[in-house]
Amino acid sequence: MARHAEPRTPRRSALLKAGLTVTAAGAAVFGAGAAAQAAAPVPLPVDSLSRTDAGAAGAGALAGVTQGLGPLTRLQLDPLANTGVDPLDNGLGTQIADFKPVGTNLVTDHITKGGAVADLPVVGGVARGLLP
């Protein structure tokens, strides 16, 4: 009995290759996960499980949060900063008599110039405390 084969087209070949690539990548990921799960567990001393040091636990949790959030405080907030299409780069200002001019750029300049959370005037001090 002859098998009916559809004619090969460039699109069909590309889809077949993409499907095989995704299948191979999934098998590699799940295979690595199964190998890691099959590793022997590390035994814990029984006496360490019965006592809890709340101070050490709190310090460890704070260190983990600091290490996790520290790099995020250095990321640029506005992805369109320093470009010609940044919608936050618009400003409105006014001056009354001989008083100092006031405008919205005082608030948005930190963000539109490519600033990060650590560069903000109010939140920056707290964010700099998170930096490792």
Side-chain angles (χ1 to χ4, degrees):
M1 183 182 225
R3 188 175 140 214
H4 177 68
E6 294 182 22
R8 290 235 168 175
T9 63
R11 178 183 169 140
R12 185 166 184 236
S13 295
L15 287 174
L16 181 63
K17 288 178 186 177
L20 289 174
T21 302
V22 169
T23 302
V29 168
F30 288 119
Q37 185 180 6
V42 176
L44 293 174
V46 177
D47 63 338
S48 69
L49 296 176
S50 61
R51 59 191 147 121
T52 304
D53 186 3
L62 183 61
V65 169
T66 301
Q67 294 295 322
L69 292 181
L72 295 178
T73 62
R74 289 186 229 107
L75 290 177
Q76 182 176 329
L77 289 174
D78 185 12
L80 297 175
N82 296 320
T83 63
V85 294
D86 186 8
L88 299 176
D89 200 15
N90 297 327
L92 179 66
T94 186
Q95 181 178 6
I96 299 174
D98 57 344
F99 293 108
K100 185 177 177 181
V102 177
T104 58
N105 288 344
L106 294 171
V107 177
T108 60
D109 268 351
H110 296 288
I111 296 172
T112 60
K113 301 300 183 216
V117 173
D119 300 330
L120 294 175
V122 176
V123 184
V126 174
R128 280 188 289 275
L130 290 176
L131 296 175

